[in-house]
């Protein structure tokens, strides 16, 4: 709770640029949390989660450019679009496990990236969809609060992030969550007990995809564009790193990891010249000194 | 050896840049063919001993994080040492032109690459299957505990395996240098293709990697002639298809 | 629930691990499966449990032909099993392990929000008492003794209150006292639960089993009451051959 | 600038290419030199600029595949700023850079950083078109005077034109449009196959060529050879897709690493030698590509571009020699020229308004009014499209004994302006 309050205060004191960075970090945190539902709780290391982040962004972008103006429909579009993509991909990928699953999800994500680059009639290829308007807030217009100002949009992202955090935390404590953990621990035993493990895993995969889709639509709204880069494997890589840096089997971990990774990446690249060297060294240091991530630190203490 | 190394592409890039430096200095491509693998073996061994050794018990994810870090570090070092300009080296003398076989024309350097690939492939398969060293390596990979019990000096074996892998990547870099352009970001695209090839072939099997490479190579060429735009997407579709039919790769052992 | 296996053949490559085996186990019957190592006992269990597809032959559970059903569907029909090597939820606590098995039965697992776990907790408490594991409730399954793990293994199968129970060497590696508590646990099971037990400890076998089938090199060489089988020369020869 | 600082700067550049510190150092060194000149050696040097500091935000790629272009443009800007002592309109010019990288998300972050965090008065930058188009609404919304130093996407001079965004480089339409008429009429080649990298710039370039080429009686033959972008595979299938027997020649649009791998493979297979004509937009035989492929260069290729290394005019000869002296023997290229001109537009506009940039409209009109003799020839803006009006030179790729592989000018189309629609 303390963290949520601290975050809520950001728009009051932080300079405009850092509010923008914080907003991006919140969106990335939602994305990283959805990934940890897979990696930490369901034991499914996905290297292609950016596919659903990107599909969510494109779904929201296409709808927004098609004159849909409501906030909720746009978020829903991102969520359902990503979920629709996650179902077939999950159904196919879950036939494999371990490193094969990792590679298969990477393959599907790169296929969607190839599609985004080449299906120019829909996605306008490498130029991407730009000029996406931010939706009007129902009812709040009278108080002339619009999502175009940085503060209100930050609060929207914060609210969605907290909502996602609460939903995911309760999900993993629910019977469904416990069953998921059981399947992660010992799939053979769960099948012997009568659990159709494939369906549970697929449900987890689609759920994680939908949450990533929400993050995607927020990203499309925040930056006003949806480009193929959102689906590229480096985005999946960064999300995986945020989860590892933050520490798996928790949601506060990946959220912290997301903030750290994004502040490091955006902060370093705009401030120092050889930012790749610094970022690379930071990642290596993290693995050496905190193999179980930030949360691991807390747990061990 | 069950290590997910995203920095393998960087070894390939370092190999290409070594080739560039050696050829620019001595005009001798063949010398580069020797220097690069040795240099990469040293780098590989050092990395394994200092960094990777701690990671074996933590599973794949920390490896992703560390190797992703290394790719960033290597690309920056290369760019600051060689500058961002795209460079190229001519194929070695005598292999520059083209060969006309019946109606088709092949660039002789591509044929040379084909030849080398087959030779190295064969050596690897023989080495992997038949020699004592090959057996030791395979034991170390398939079951660490058992190999340890049998008195195999595991740390040394892993260092050697990792260094050997790095050397091969360096060799690939040298061979690819005349064929493709040499520039700081060249590691990214070869990395994805390499991972795809290894997974399609089946992990832990050298023949699988060779088979996977053939399948992907043909798939790419056929794909780009049929519908050039989606060639890259086609490769991944191919990989997806293989993994769905045989979830542990064409020649992979049932995990 | 009856278990009928008809001319079952399983091959690994060219080797016929099970060769044309027939087995009729009446509902509520306590059947033991004995035989030297490598006779195919565990393979037979795995086929009945659905983890292994036979080359030929069929498996009937009660009235249903279950030959092609996946393991979880067979479990839903009331088939519970333990494994030769304890397959538990290592990182979860003993209580959480049992809770999973209980929830498998009462089917609340598709509930996406917490709560409503009171009945599950109650039953888990009772079961842990019965299995003398209550004092380990909050310990991680990986961090308890071998004997206790075997007990937990059994309890997981029982928690799903199966009508058919497949036991794969439940006594392996247990001390005298632990064997006795497992035996007591099994003997207190309701009559209508069919038990198929694979076990080397012949005293335990003959204490529980009403009928005994003997497998040797994938072939059923004897079938009958404990006394008759004990006296059967072929059984002795198979066992002596094995030692 | 005093000698030891000059040597120190060159030593630093030669030793390690460290753009950002160098840039800051370069500017501050100039400042120190000035102060030293005034105070230290008690000669009465020019008093420093008294007006408020003029901050210029430069967003160019310093990492990723376009780093080479980002470097050249930065060097070009730096050279011009130094030549005027880093001041204009009585204001000291401070340059703040940020790494555009490749992905639009990073370009947006870099832009926001220089605008909001560093509070710059003006922005210059953007190599890749999506990054320029992607930031257009943000910059236009803030009424931020912006100069596009490379990205050629046509829309910025047409539908997406903004009164605050001018372009000093080119629109993708410009280098290719005159080539259509030249190839059809002057060279009489009637059957051309299109070869291009399939992304924004490629599509717009070949469309402009097709417009005039078919207009002058030419016909586009066979399926286009469109290589996927970003292309990281083997180019052989695309080189072999050129139907050498059915066409008079090809018109090609590629740049950087794509051009290098394509031309190397084409040279090996000898495909281009069988063609009557190899033509295209100048980028695929620009100095950076020629330097990499050397003898694999398509000898005699006819290309159109708004600059060429051996251009005879004095400004260019002066620019080329000074550039290689200042940047330790590095050969100038079209991107350096674009950087050089961008800096000059800023200086001339600042002088025109005597450093008073508070009145945005007056400052923009001053920018629009800038015209001068650039190394590429006459440079002025077209007020209707905010795009540069410039000469497009027709060049032939040759191996010059002194300059090595370069492009000799054989014809030119002066005053080519983007149609704006």
């Amino acid at each position: 709770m303390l963290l949520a309050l601290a975050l809520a205060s950001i728009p009051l004191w932080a300079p405009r640029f850092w509010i923008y960075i914080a907003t991006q970090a919140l969106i990335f945190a939602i994305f990283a949390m959805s990934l940890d539902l897979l990696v930490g709780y369901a034991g499914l290391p996905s290297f292609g989660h950016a596919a659903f982040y990107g599909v969510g962004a494109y779904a929201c972008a296409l709808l927004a450019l098609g004159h849909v103006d409501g906030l909720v429909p746009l978020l829903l579009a991102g969520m359902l679009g990503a979920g629709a993509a996650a179902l077939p991909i999950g159904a196919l990928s879950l036939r494999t496990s371990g490193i094969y699953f990792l590679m298969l999800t990477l393959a599907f994500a790169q296929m969607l990236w190839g599609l985004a680059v080449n299906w120019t009639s829909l996605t306008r290829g490498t130029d991407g969809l730009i000029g996406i308007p931010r939706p009007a807030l129902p009812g709040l217009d009278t108080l002339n609060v619009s999502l175009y100002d940085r503060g209100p949009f930050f609060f929207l992202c914060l609210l969605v992030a907290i909502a996602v955090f609460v939903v995911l935390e309760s999900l993993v404590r629910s019977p469904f969550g416990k069953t998921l953990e059981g399947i992660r621990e010992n799939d053979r035993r769960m099948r012997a007990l009568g659990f159709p493990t494939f369906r549970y895993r697929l449900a987890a995969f689609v759920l994680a995809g939908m949450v990533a889709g929400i993050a995607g639509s927020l990203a499309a709204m925040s930056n006003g564009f949806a480009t193929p880069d959102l689906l590229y494997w480096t985005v999946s890589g960064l999300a995986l790193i945020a989860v590892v840096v933050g520490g798996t089997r928790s949601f506060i971990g990946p959220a912290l990891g997301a903030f750290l990774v994004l502040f490091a990446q955006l902060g370093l690249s705009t401030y120092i010249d050889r930012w790749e060297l610094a970022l690379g060294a930071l990642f290596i240091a993290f693995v050496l000194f905190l193999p179980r991530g930030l949360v691991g630190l807390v747990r061990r203490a | 050896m069950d290590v997910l190394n995203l920095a393998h592409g960087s070894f390939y890039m370092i190999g290409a840049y070594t080739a560039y430096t050696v050829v620019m200095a001595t005009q001798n491509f063949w010398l580069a063919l020797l220097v690069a693998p040795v240099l990469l073996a040293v780098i590989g061994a050092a990395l394994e001993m200092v960094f990777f050794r701690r990671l074996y018990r933590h599973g794949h994810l920390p490896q992703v994080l560390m190797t992703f870090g290394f790719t960033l570090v290597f690309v920056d070092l290369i760019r600051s040492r060689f500058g961002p300009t795209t460079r190229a080296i001519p194929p070695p003398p005598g292999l520059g032109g083209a060969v006309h076989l019946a109606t088709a024309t092949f660039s002789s350097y591509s044929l040379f690459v084909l030849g080398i690939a087959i030779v190295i492939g064969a050596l690897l398969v023989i080495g992997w299957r038949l020699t004592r060293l090959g057996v030791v390596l395979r034991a170390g990979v398939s079951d660490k505990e058992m190999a340890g019990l049998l008195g195999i000096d595991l740390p040394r074996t892993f260092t050697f395996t990792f260094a050997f892998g790095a050397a091969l990547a360096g060799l690939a870099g040298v061979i690819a240098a005349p064929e493709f352009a040499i520039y700081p970001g060249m590691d990214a695209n070869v990395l994805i293709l390499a991972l795809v090839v290894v997974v399609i072939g089946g992990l832990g099997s050298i023949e699988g990697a060779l088979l996977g490479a053939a399948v992907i190579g043909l798939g790419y060429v056929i794909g780009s002639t049929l519908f050039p735009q989606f060639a890259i997407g086609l490769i991944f579709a191919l990989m997806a298809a293989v993994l769905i039919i045989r979830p542990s790769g064409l020649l992979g052992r049932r995990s | 629930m009856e278990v009928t296996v008809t001319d079952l053949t399983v091959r690994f490559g060219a080797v016929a691990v099970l060769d044309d085996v027939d087995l009729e186990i009446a509902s509520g019957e306590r059947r033991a499966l004995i035989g030297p190592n490598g006779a195919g006992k565990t393979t037979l269990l795995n086929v009945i449990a659905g983890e292994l597809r036979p080359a030929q032959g069929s498996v009937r559970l009660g009235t249903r032909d279950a030959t092609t059903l996946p393991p979880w569907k067979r479990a839903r029909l009331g088939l519970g099993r333990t494994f030769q090597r304890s397959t538990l939820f290592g990182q979860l606590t003993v209580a959480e392990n049992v809770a999973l098995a209980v929830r498998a039965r009462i089917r609340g697992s598709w509930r996406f929000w917490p709560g409503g776990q009171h009945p599950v907790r109650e039953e888990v408490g009772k079961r842990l008492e019965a299995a003398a594991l209550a004092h380990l409730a909050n310990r991680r399954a990986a961090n308890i003794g071998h004997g206790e793990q075997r007990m937990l293994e059994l309890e997981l199968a029982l928690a799903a209150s199966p009508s058919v129970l497949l036991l794969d060497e439940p006594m392996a590696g247990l001390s005298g006292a632990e064997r006795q508590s497992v035996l007591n646990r099994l003997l207190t099971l309701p009559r209508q639960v069919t038990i198929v037990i694979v076990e080397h400890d012949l005293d335990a076998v003959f204490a529980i089993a009403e009928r005994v089938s003997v497998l040797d090199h994938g072939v059923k060489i004897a079938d009958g009451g404990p006394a008759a089988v004990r006296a059967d020369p072929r059984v002795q020869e198979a066992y002596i051959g094995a030692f | 600038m005093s000698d030891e600082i000059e040597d120190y700067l060159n030593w630093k550049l030669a030793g390690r290419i460290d753009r950002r510190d160098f840039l800051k150092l370069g500017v501050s060194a100039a400042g120190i030199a000035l102060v030293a000149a005034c105070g230290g050696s008690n000669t009465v040097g020019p008093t420093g600029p008294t007006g408020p500091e003029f901050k210029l935000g430069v967003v160019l790629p310093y990492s990723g595949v376009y780093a080479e272009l980002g470097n050249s443009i930065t060097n070009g800007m730096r050279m011009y700023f130094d030549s005027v002592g880093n001041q204009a309109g009585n204001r000291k010019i401070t340059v703040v850079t940020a790494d555009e990288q490749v992905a639009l998300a990073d370009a947006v972050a870099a832009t926001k950083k220089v605008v909001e965090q560093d509070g710059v008065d003006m922005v210059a930058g953007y190599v890749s078109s999506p990054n320029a188009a992607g930031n257009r609404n943000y910059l236009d919304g803030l009424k931020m005077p912006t100069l596009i130093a490379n990205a050629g996407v046509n829309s910025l001079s047409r539908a997406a034109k903004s009164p605050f965004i001018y372009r000093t480089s080119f629109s993708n339409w410009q280098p290719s449009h005159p080539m259509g008429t030249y190839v059809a009429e002057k060279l009489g080649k009637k059957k051309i196959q299109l070869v291009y990298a399939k992304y924004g710039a490629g599509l717009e370039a070949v469309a402009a060529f097709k417009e005039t080429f078919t207009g002058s009686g030419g016909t586009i033959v066979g399926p286009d050879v469109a290589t996927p972008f970003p292309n990281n595979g083997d180019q052989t299938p695309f080189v072999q897709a050129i139907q050498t027997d059915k066409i008079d020649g090809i018109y090609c649009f590629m740049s950087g690493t794509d051009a290098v791998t394509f031309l190397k493979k084409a040279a090996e297979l000898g495909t281009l030698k069988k063609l009557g004509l190899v033509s295209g937009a100048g980028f695929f035989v620009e100095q950076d590509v020629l330097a990499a492929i050397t003898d694999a260069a398509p000898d005699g290729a006819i290309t159109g571009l708004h600059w060429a290394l051996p251009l005879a005019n004095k400004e260019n000869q002066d620019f080329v020699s000074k550039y290689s002296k200042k940047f330790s023997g590095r050969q100038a290229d079209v991107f350096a020229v674009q950087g050089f001109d961008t800096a000059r537009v800023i200086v001339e506009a600042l002088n025109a308004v005597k450093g008073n940039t508070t009145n945005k409209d007056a400052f923009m009109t001053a920018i629009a009014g800038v015209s001068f003799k650039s190394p590429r020839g006459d440079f002025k803006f077209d007020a209707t499209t905010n795009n540069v009006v410039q000469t497009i030179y027709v060049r032939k790729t040759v191996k010059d004994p002194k300059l090595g592989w370069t492009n000799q000018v054989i014809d030119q189309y002066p005053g080519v302006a983007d149609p704006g629609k």
Side-chain angles (χ1 to χ4, degrees):
Chain A
M1 259 334 281
L2 190 61
L3 184 70
L5 284 176
L7 282 175
S9 66
I10 284 185
L12 310 177
W13 48 271
R16 272 176 62 79
F17 176 66
W18 290 103
I19 300 176
Y20 162 75
I21 298 269
T23 315
Q24 298 306 312
L26 274 174
I27 295 172
F28 193 53
I30 298 171
F31 179 48
M33 282 194 279
S34 73
L35 182 59
D36 195 43
L37 175 65
L38 284 184
V39 172
Y41 289 92
L44 297 168
S46 161
F47 204 105
H49 208 47
F52 311 118
Y53 179 69
V55 165
Y58 270 98
C60 168
L62 288 169
L63 223 61
L65 291 174
H67 312 306
V68 168
D69 194 17
L71 172 67
V72 172
L74 286 177
L75 285 179
L76 270 178
M79 194 165 84
L80 297 178
L87 196 61
I89 290 181
L92 293 173
S93 309
L94 286 171
R95 292 166 54 86
T96 62
S97 63
I99 199 153
Y100 293 99
F101 175 80
L102 195 112
M103 288 313 297
L104 197 49
T105 47
L106 170 67
F108 281 119
Q110 288 299 99
M111 267 159 61
L112 285 180
W113 170 75
L115 209 63
V117 168
N118 288 301
W119 191 352
T120 38
S121 56
L122 180 73
T123 62
R124 295 232 302 285
T126 49
D127 294 341
L129 302 169
I130 53 175
I132 297 163
R134 288 186 184 172
L137 283 177
L140 280 180
D141 277 350
T142 46
L143 304 160
N144 66 43
V145 170
S146 117
L147 282 183
Y148 277 96
D149 326 332
R150 199 144 298 172
F153 193 79
F154 171 85
F155 278 116
L156 169 70
C157 294
L158 183 62
L159 278 179
V160 173
I162 291 174
V164 162
F165 177 79
V166 165
V167 164
L168 288 179
E169 279 291 339
S170 66
L171 183 74
V172 291
R173 285 186 176 67
S174 72
F176 173 79
K178 289 293 170 209
T179 312
L180 218 52
E181 282 196 294
I183 295 171
R184 176 195 71 216
E185 282 301 311
N186 193 321
D187 181 273
R188 186 179 182 204
R189 164 58 84 184
M190 287 298 269
R191 281 204 303 270
L193 287 173
F195 286 100
T197 54
F198 177 81
R199 292 183 197 164
Y200 281 94
R201 282 182 156 171
L202 184 57
F205 193 83
V206 171
L207 268 172
M210 286 162 75
V211 175
I214 295 175
S217 38
L218 280 177
M221 281 188 239
S222 153
N223 293 325
F225 60 76
T227 52
D229 314 314
L230 299 175
L231 293 109
Y232 201 53
W233 68 276
T234 40
V235 175
S236 302
L238 273 181
L240 211 54
I241 285 167
V243 167
V244 172
V245 162
T248 53
R249 294 206 189 135
S250 78
F251 289 111
I252 197 68
L256 285 176
F259 263 79
L260 199 79
V261 164
L262 203 83
F263 272 76
Q265 200 230 350
L266 280 182
L268 286 177
S269 64
T270 44
Y271 272 93
I272 64 171
D273 185 21
R274 294 175 61 175
W275 59 276
E276 280 168 320
L277 186 67
L279 196 63
L282 183 73
F283 287 160
I284 297 167
F286 241 97
V287 176
L288 291 181
F289 304 118
L290 285 170
R292 270 187 299 288
L294 294 172
V295 170
L297 203 66
V298 168
R299 282 204 188 111
R300 208 181 305 132
Chain B
M1 51 194 276
D2 202 20
V3 169
L4 180 61
N5 181 8
L6 296 183
H8 213 59
S10 312
F11 297 153
Y12 164 85
M13 178 168 66
I14 295 170
Y17 269 95
T18 323
Y20 173 75
T21 333
V22 168
V23 166
M24 281 304 149
T26 65
Q27 306 303 334
N28 181 337
F29 177 78
W30 311 108
L31 183 62
L33 220 50
L34 295 176
V35 167
V38 167
L39 173 68
L40 262 307
V42 167
I43 295 176
L47 285 183
E48 197 276 339
M49 278 188 276
V50 174
F51 293 99
F52 282 82
R53 182 153 297 172
R54 308 160 191 251
L55 282 189
Y56 293 139
R57 47 188 162 71
H58 286 307
H60 294 310
L61 290 180
Q63 287 164 8
V64 168
L65 177 58
M66 166 169 279
T67 51
F68 197 91
F70 273 116
T71 46
L72 291 171
V73 168
F74 283 131
V75 83
D76 186 276
L77 292 179
I78 291 277
R79 182 181 305 111
S80 59
R81 175 68 189 77
F82 290 92
T85 36
T86 310
R87 296 166 194 271
I89 50 174
L95 290 170
V99 171
H100 303 281
L101 299 172
T103 56
T105 54
F106 297 97
S107 91
S108 34
Y109 188 75
S110 303
L111 294 180
F112 161 73
V113 169
L114 192 62
I116 266 205
I118 293 170
V119 165
I120 291 179
L123 283 177
L124 271 178
V125 167
I126 298 163
W128 188 248
R129 281 271 175 263
L130 306 178
T131 61
R132 209 189 69 74
L133 181 65
V135 169
V136 162
L137 291 183
R138 266 188 292 131
V141 165
S142 46
D143 192 332
K144 296 190 185 70
E145 296 78 19
M146 189 54 74
L149 293 176
L150 297 177
I152 296 173
D153 173 357
L154 274 178
R156 210 163 48 76
T157 324
F158 279 175
T159 310
F160 180 81
T161 321
F162 195 89
F164 189 69
L168 280 179
L171 191 67
V174 176
I175 294 170
E179 181 79 5
F180 299 111
I182 307 168
Y183 59 98
M186 68 191 290
D187 56 342
N189 48 50
V190 79
L191 178 69
I192 295 285
L193 291 180
L195 286 177
V196 165
V197 161
V198 166
V199 167
I200 278 195
L203 290 182
S205 102
I206 297 282
E207 304 86 341
L210 289 172
L211 186 64
V215 165
I216 289 294
L218 289 174
Y220 180 75
V221 171
I222 296 166
S224 23
T225 37
L226 292 181
F227 29 91
Q229 300 333 304
F230 201 55
I232 303 289
L234 175 90
I235 291 179
F236 289 104
L238 207 60
M239 169 166 149
V242 166
L243 283 183
I244 291 159
I245 301 158
R246 283 184 61 83
S248 55
L250 297 177
L251 301 173
R253 40 178 167 59
R254 284 257 163 291
S255 59
Chain C
M1 184 160 86
E2 307 79 17
V3 177
T4 11
V5 171
T6 37
D7 42 21
L8 193 70
T9 307
V10 171
R11 281 197 191 77
F12 285 164
V15 173
V17 174
L18 287 177
D19 195 355
D20 200 9
V21 173
D22 293 294
L23 210 60
E24 287 87 23
I25 304 170
S27 171
E29 183 191 328
R30 307 305 165 86
R31 173 69 64 90
L33 262 177
I34 61 172
N37 280 337
K41 303 193 293 292
T42 301
T43 312
L44 181 56
L45 275 197
N46 285 340
V47 169
I48 299 173
E51 290 200 7
L52 213 56
R53 272 298 147 69
Q56 276 163 323
S58 71
V59 173
R60 292 183 65 76
L61 293 177
T63 54
R64 284 282 298 270
D65 172 1
T67 317
T68 56
L69 289 183
W72 67 273
K73 276 212 174 96
R74 299 187 194 203
R76 283 276 169 84
L77 293 175
L79 186 138
R81 65 161 302 170
T82 65
F83 292 88
Q84 195 173 15
R85 275 172 45 181
S86 301
T87 48
L88 302 168
F89 304 109
Q91 295 310 313
L92 302 184
T93 67
V94 168
E96 282 167 342
N97 273 256
V98 178
L100 280 172
V102 167
R103 206 175 291 119
R105 193 187 76 246
I106 58 172
R107 252 342 122 45
S109 296
W110 281 100
R111 181 188 154 101
F112 287 90
W113 54 99
Q117 293 314 298
H118 193 59
V120 173
R121 265 194 293 280
E122 228 177 72
E123 185 176 340
V124 166
K126 282 215 288 321
R127 285 193 175 279
L128 287 180
E129 286 302 327
L133 291 169
H135 60 294
L136 299 168
N138 297 326
R139 190 93 70 79
R140 287 189 186 204
N143 307 344
I144 58 178
H146 173 72
E148 288 148 345
Q149 283 186 340
R150 292 309 287 169
M151 282 301 290
L152 179 57
E153 177 87 23
L154 176 63
E155 208 44 50
L156 287 186
L158 296 177
S161 64
S163 29
V164 173
L165 186 57
L166 308 180
L167 300 169
D168 198 341
E169 292 186 31
M171 305 297 183
L174 295 190
S175 67
E178 287 166 339
R179 282 171 193 269
Q180 200 47 47
S181 50
V182 168
L183 259 177
N184 299 344
R185 194 81 178 89
L186 290 178
L187 293 172
T188 58
L189 286 179
R191 269 315 301 168
Q192 75 277 10
V193 175
T194 319
I195 295 180
V196 180
I197 180 166
V198 164
E199 184 48 64
H200 280 296
D201 171 353
L202 296 183
D203 305 338
V205 162
F206 294 117
I208 301 175
E210 291 144 0
R211 277 171 65 93
V212 178
S213 308
V214 183
L215 275 180
D216 187 12
H217 296 299
V219 173
K220 193 173 84 173
I221 57 173
D223 204 323
V229 162
R230 191 192 282 262
D232 185 324
R234 273 174 303 161
V235 171
Q236 280 143 6
E237 190 265 335
Y239 262 93
I240 294 157
F243 294 117
Chain D
M1 201 184 293
S2 55
D3 290 342
E4 61 285 48
I5 289 190
E6 175 81 36
D7 301 342
Y8 172 72
L9 288 185
N10 280 343
W11 166 81
K12 185 163 170 69
L13 181 77
R16 241 177 347 92
I17 296 169
D18 194 336
R19 290 159 305 277
R20 194 130 332 126
D21 308 341
F22 177 79
L23 204 58
K24 289 202 180 88
L25 181 75
V27 170
S28 48
I32 297 165
L34 274 173
V35 169
C38 309
S41 55
N42 62 42
T43 52
V44 179
T47 55
T50 53
E53 185 186 39
F54 178 79
K55 274 186 153 183
L56 173 67
V58 169
V59 180
L60 286 169
Y62 297 110
S63 64
V65 71
Y66 295 121
E68 169 71 4
L69 279 66
N71 251 354
S72 293
I73 299 171
T74 311
N75 289 347
M77 277 175 136
R78 160 99 174 54
M79 200 166 116
Y80 187 81
F81 280 139
D82 271 3
S83 69
V84 293
N86 293 290
Q87 59 169 335
N90 197 6
R91 291 173 73 176
K92 179 173 176 313
I93 298 173
T94 311
V95 173
V96 177
T97 61
D99 189 349
E100 168 195 346
Q101 299 182 45
V102 180
L104 181 49
D106 299 318
V108 165
T111 308
K112 285 193 156 84
K113 183 248 172 190
V114 290
V115 171
E116 292 164 11
Q117 198 63 6
D118 303 314
V120 294
D121 303 305
M122 187 170 188
V123 167
Y126 306 120
V127 162
S128 73
S129 299
N131 290 349
N135 279 300
R136 183 251 176 224
N137 291 355
Y138 174 71
L139 294 166
D140 181 60
L142 291 170
K143 295 192 177 7
M144 171 61 70
T146 304
L147 289 177
I148 305 290
N150 187 65
V153 54
N154 290 341
S155 64
L156 282 178
S157 318
R158 303 177 183 173
K161 184 179 63 145
S162 148
F164 301 97
I165 301 177
Y166 278 68
R167 177 154 45 199
T168 61
S169 49
F170 56 88
S171 75
N172 290 331
W173 178 90
Q174 278 176 306
S176 296
H177 189 257
M179 288 304 293
T181 359
Y182 188 84
V183 167
E185 283 160 14
K186 287 263 176 66
L187 300 180
K189 301 287 178 189
K190 295 300 180 190
K191 295 203 292 289
I192 292 284
Q193 185 175 15
L194 296 173
V195 177
Y196 55 92
K198 189 185 175 195
Y199 66 110
L203 295 164
E204 289 183 349
V206 291
F209 172 81
K210 205 186 278 187
E211 193 189 312
T212 44
F213 180 69
T214 45
S216 326
T219 47
I220 299 292
V221 170
D224 298 353
V225 175
T227 65
F229 179 83
N231 184 354
N232 41 36
D234 175 13
Q235 301 274 27
T236 317
F238 302 111
V239 173
Q240 283 166 340
I242 298 174
Q243 302 161 350
T244 47
D245 42 7
K246 296 208 200 76
I247 52 175
D248 298 339
I250 60 166
Y251 185 81
C252 173
F253 181 91
M254 269 180 204
S255 70
T257 47
D258 288 351
V260 169
T261 45
F262 190 84
L263 290 174
K264 265 166 66 73
K265 182 52 73 178
E268 270 172 38
L269 294 172
T271 319
L272 298 187
K273 291 186 177 52
K274 298 185 196 132
L275 289 172
L277 166 70
V278 172
S279 71
F283 296 108
F284 89 104
V285 282
E286 193 25 33
Q287 297 307 137
D288 58 332
V289 174
L290 293 178
I293 58 175
T294 59
D295 292 338
D299 195 1
I302 306 292
T303 60
L305 198 64
H306 45 291
W307 177 77
L309 186 66
L311 260 176
N313 61 51
K314 191 182 78 51
E315 295 81 9
N316 186 50
Q317 296 305 328
D318 180 37
F319 171 76
V320 171
S321 63
K322 261 179 144 182
Y323 187 88
S324 63
K325 190 164 71 62
K326 195 176 188 64
F327 298 108
S328 52
R330 207 174 135 115
Q331 204 174 47
D333 56 32
V334 69
F335 310 108
V337 171
Q338 288 166 191
F340 190 73
D341 289 350
T342 306
R344 178 156 187 174
V345 166
I346 296 170
V347 168
E348 303 244 345
L350 271 176
N351 290 336
V353 291
K354 296 186 184 55
N356 168 9
T357 53
T358 42
N359 178 337
K360 287 267 167 58
D361 297 336
F363 186 47
M364 294 318 291
T365 2
I367 290 177
V370 166
S371 83
F372 54 87
K373 282 237 174 296
S374 144
R376 61 175 118 177
D378 298 337
F379 179 104
K380 65 179 167 55
F381 283 115
D382 172 352
T384 54
T385 64
N386 298 359
N387 192 44
V388 57
V389 178
Q390 57 192 342
T391 311
I392 299 296
Y393 300 96
V394 181
R395 306 118 28 101
K396 184 175 201 164
T397 308
V398 291
K399 184 160 190 176
D400 181 286
K402 190 160 59 62
L403 295 166
W405 280 98
T406 185
N407 300 292
Q408 287 295 358
V409 176
I410 56 174
D411 209 332
Q412 60 182 30
Y413 290 82
V416 174
D418 191 272
K421 52 169 172 32

